[in-house]
Amino acid sequence: MRWPKGLDGLCYGGDHNPEQWPPEVWTEDVALMRRARVNLVTVGVFAWSRLEPQPGRYDFDWLDRVLDLLHTGGIRVALATPTASPPPWFSLRHPDALPVTADGVRLQHGSRDTYCVSAPAYRRAAGEITAALAARYADHPALALWHVHNEYGTTCHCDHATEAFRRWLRTRYGGLDALNDAWTTSFWSQHYSDWAQIRTPVATRYLGNPAQLLDFRRFGSDELLGAYLAQRDLLRAATPDVPVTTNFVLGGWVPVDHARWSTELDLVAIDHYPTEAGPGAEEQTAFAADLARGWARHSPGGPGWLLMETAPNLILTPGRMHGKEPGRLLRHSLSYVARGSRGAMFFQWRASRGGAELFHSALLPHAGPRSRGFRETVELGETLDRLAEVDVGTVSTSVAVVRDAGSWWALQASVLPSAEVDHADEVAAVYRALWRAGLGCDVVEPGDDLSGYALVVLPMLYLVDDGYAARLRDYLASGGHLLVSYLSGVADEYGRIRLGGHPGALRDLLGIRVDEFQPLDPATRLSLSDGGTGRLWSEPVELAGATAVTTYTDGRLAGGPAVTRHAYGAGVAWYVSTRLDDDTYRRLAADVARAAGVTPTCPVAPDGVEAVRRRSADGRSWLFLLNHTDTAQTLPVAGLDLLTGGYVDPVTLPAGGCAVLRQS
Ligand code: GLA
């Protein structure tokens, strides 16, 4: 495993932006970092204009001093390449490297991420600054990790991007006949007779071609990966022993297939910012951590991964910033660590006094060290120190939730029967159901091996190719349990509808047939025979071997199956034809898990107490217990609580408090 040089135990720190401050602040920073037990900081992410103030003229003196100071203070550095924010001189010199939106508007500098990764001038400049940094700091003793770029995720429609898209399509399809067939260009006279006719999916008079959009996302992922690899290879050549990573951003707009990228990363790192201020933040945190854990299994640096950024004291919801209540920072940090993060890193170390993110929270707030925020920063550093031993533990579960970038992208096309349904949203709904039922799960990709799982969940897995359908049949035949939700298996890998009734590829294994969809308007609720409700979507499900578990009791489908169960081979396949309300989904998840022989991580944990277990190869195990409720909770479990250093039996968790029990 390649792991940051010189780092033992868990990482703690965040983005350090000394370029925003005068040198006397740098010294204070190091002193305060030491007080907080910070051991790793990301430096230079957005410092391109300071590092290369004029084309080809570098100024590394200030960065030398910063790295020396950090090294003297015993703090390791994740040195970033600054390529996510080219300097103004670059944009003025190379207007053709500025990105173009789908509407044909060329964006100008003044923010960040304003470049096209396909533009030769951008790639050249990014390579030059990367090579210069690598040459300068290859032997610097503070260098622990390379942090390439920041949150790859841009798209562009300029001529360079269009050319690159055409090249990518030629490789994918070989010839135009295959492309025309896959894109169904016979519709609306779109047949292409020359590669030069093909464009990125720019603004069109009316609906665009969904297959073109899907391929553009896939291309985007590969194109950005190419930009990452170009930098990664330069850094590797200069410092073969220093691991290289980039920080993944999680968002619907991001054309990145993170599982595929992870095979190229020495360490999977994610940035995660919950978007709900209420209890949803805890579920989102757990989900993001399990996602990263799944990607890390593809990485040569796995199974560990790293939370590279989150906000210390802030949850951003549309239009409002919510401060985190006391204790929430610790609970969230432990939720990531419990699920395999090799530490907790934050954006950012010191709050900026100006610039676009001047109100973003930081480990060191504007108020300075005499603040509630900084006290929690110090407490978190002490806590992570006490937890160092858990780093050898891994998480294993017998439930897998399949998430698929392709299905997500395909369902983002604006031509579907309902704009209200979304793959990521459905994955989140089923994850929530499992989380609330206390069931740990892995989040996996369609390519992943399913044989170790007692239960596999396919939430709205829209694209299913023949090979995957065959693998699912084998999984079921050998005794697996499958829970499938609506809009799964409907289309092939090109997004073309499978004929003969839905859910196309999965009809036989589910023992059902659906001949039409009946999406619901967002306010409609359909009652179900078990007292639950369905919303957003419904289907007239015809039984073809399956039995009805629950039925619709009102609306056009009254009396028809809503949830079904089908014995297939030695296994069982369940189907859910509507979006169940959260309680009903949770009950169903618990029932299906029980039938599959899966038990909760900590069966005695009450509602609102999250439990995750890490185990080491030498037989130790650590039970993380996070009390998200506002009352104290006592659980009949025993162990040495690493947070207090005392043996407990039973354990009492204060309101909003945590325990990490070492149990042999
Ligand atoms: C991202 C970026 C950071 C910062 C934060 C703000 O994660 O990587 O530079 O903009 O968001 O939340």
Side-chain angles (χ1 to χ4, degrees), residues 58-81:
Y58 299 110
D59 175 6
F60 289 128
D61 291 352
W62 67 273
L63 188 55
D64 293 352
R65 285 180 60 197
V66 167
L67 262 55
D68 291 350
L69 272 174
L70 289 165
H71 177 62
T72 309
I75 297 156
R76 316 285 305 167
V77 170
L79 189 54
T81 65

Side-chain angles (χ1 to χ4, degrees), residues 135-188:
R136 182 85 174 188
Y137 297 107
D139 298 320
H140 198 286
L143 175 66
L145 174 68
W146 288 110
H147 177 300
V148 172
H149 199 86
N150 191 68
E151 300 191 331
Y152 279 104
T154 52
T155 51
C156 180
H157 297 267
C158 75
D159 291 346
H160 299 301
T162 305
E163 277 303 328
F165 185 42
R166 289 176 189 147
R167 281 195 299 274
W168 183 90
L169 290 168
R170 273 176 191 263
T171 308
R172 177 167 171 78
Y173 292 106
L176 278 171
D177 287 350
L179 178 139
N180 280 309
D181 184 40
W183 285 15
T184 318
T185 54
S186 48
F187 190 82
W188 283 352

Side-chain angles (χ1 to χ4, degrees), residues 82-93:
T83 50
S85 206
W89 61 254
F90 172 82
S91 312
L92 293 169
R93 245 190 180 204

Side-chain angles (χ1 to χ4, degrees), residues 15 46 112 150-151 247 271 273 309 316 347 357 360:
D15 285 50
F46 293 113
R112 66 179 189 190
N150 191 68
E151 300 191 331
N247 49 340
D271 295 353
Y273 293 89
E309 279 184 32
L316 282 171
F347 182 85
E357 291 178 337
H360 201 286

Side-chain angles (χ1 to χ4, degrees), residues 95-129:
D96 67 308
L98 287 166
V100 174
T101 66
D103 292 337
V105 176
R106 198 177 276 282
L107 302 177
Q108 302 299 317
H109 70 85
S111 179
R112 66 179 189 190
D113 286 309
T114 315
Y115 49 80
C116 167
V117 288
S118 306
Y122 171 76
R123 292 288 277 267
R124 209 167 35 245
E128 283 164 6
I129 184 72

